[in-house]
Amino acid sequence: MAASRYRRFLRLCEEWPAENSKQQRDLGLVLRQRVAQAFREGENTPISDPEACDQMYESLVRIHTNFYKNKYPRLKDTTFTGVTVNDCRSILATDILKQMEDMKKGTWKRLREKFSAKKPEEDSK
């Protein structure tokens, strides 16, 4: 039975889209890592709680298939602020978040990082 659960999780990992704009923060990547960690021995991995495993799989399938988005359709594709889905995706992209972090830094710190031979991580140690 563990073999079929393992194959179902693998199939879900293959179907889950990769979000290239969210480096290190992609749900598909985290899912793949967790499946690899949970099923270290592949199909031969013993499962201590099969009910919890099945429940986790069903929950992930509902997220992947947009079950609740389809069950409860929205009247508009914007939020109360008027921001669209595409705007949210572009704002949450890794490149934009890095730019925002750079904007938060003070002028002195930016100049010091720019002209310093050390990396900023080494400087704080």
Side-chain angles (χ1 to χ4, degrees):
M1 197 66 172
S4 65
R5 285 186 177 92
Y6 175 66
R7 281 187 235 117
R8 288 188 334 180
F9 273 102
L10 282 182
R11 199 173 324 116
L12 181 64
C13 287
E14 289 172 2
E15 292 175 3
W16 204 285
E19 190 80 36
N20 295 331
S21 65
K22 295 181 183 175
Q23 301 162 351
Q24 305 293 325
R25 300 175 298 115
D26 181 24
L27 184 58
L29 177 67
V30 171
L31 174 65
R32 288 174 185 87
Q33 290 172 349
R34 294 272 177 101
V35 168
Q37 184 181 22
F39 292 96
R40 287 189 185 113
E41 299 172 23
E43 294 181 351
N44 299 326
T45 303
I47 298 175
S48 60
D49 191 0
E51 290 179 11
C53 181
D54 292 340
Q55 187 177 25
M56 180 67 72
Y57 175 77
E58 294 300 325
S59 297
L60 290 169
V61 167
R62 283 194 297 271
I63 292 171
H64 176 62
T65 60
N66 291 324
F67 177 80
Y68 291 106
K69 179 183 177 187
N70 297 332
K71 186 175 180 179
Y72 304 106
R74 297 177 57 132
L75 300 176
K76 296 180 181 180
D77 288 336
T78 60
T79 62
F80 73 96
T81 60
V83 177
T84 64
V85 173
N86 290 332
D87 293 340
C88 287
R89 283 191 181 128
S90 64
I91 290 169
L92 293 175
T94 302
D95 300 335
I96 300 297
L97 291 176
K98 285 182 183 177
Q99 288 177 4
M100 290 174 71
E101 284 295 320
D102 289 342
M103 288 173 50
K104 287 182 183 177
K105 294 179 184 175
T107 306
W108 181 250
K109 190 169 186 175
R110 275 187 285 180
L111 286 172
R112 192 172 73 190
E113 287 177 359
K114 186 174 182 178
F115 295 111
S116 176
K118 291 191 248 178
K119 292 182 181 176
E121 295 87 28
E122 294 174 3
D123 194 35
S124 63
K125 289 181 182 177

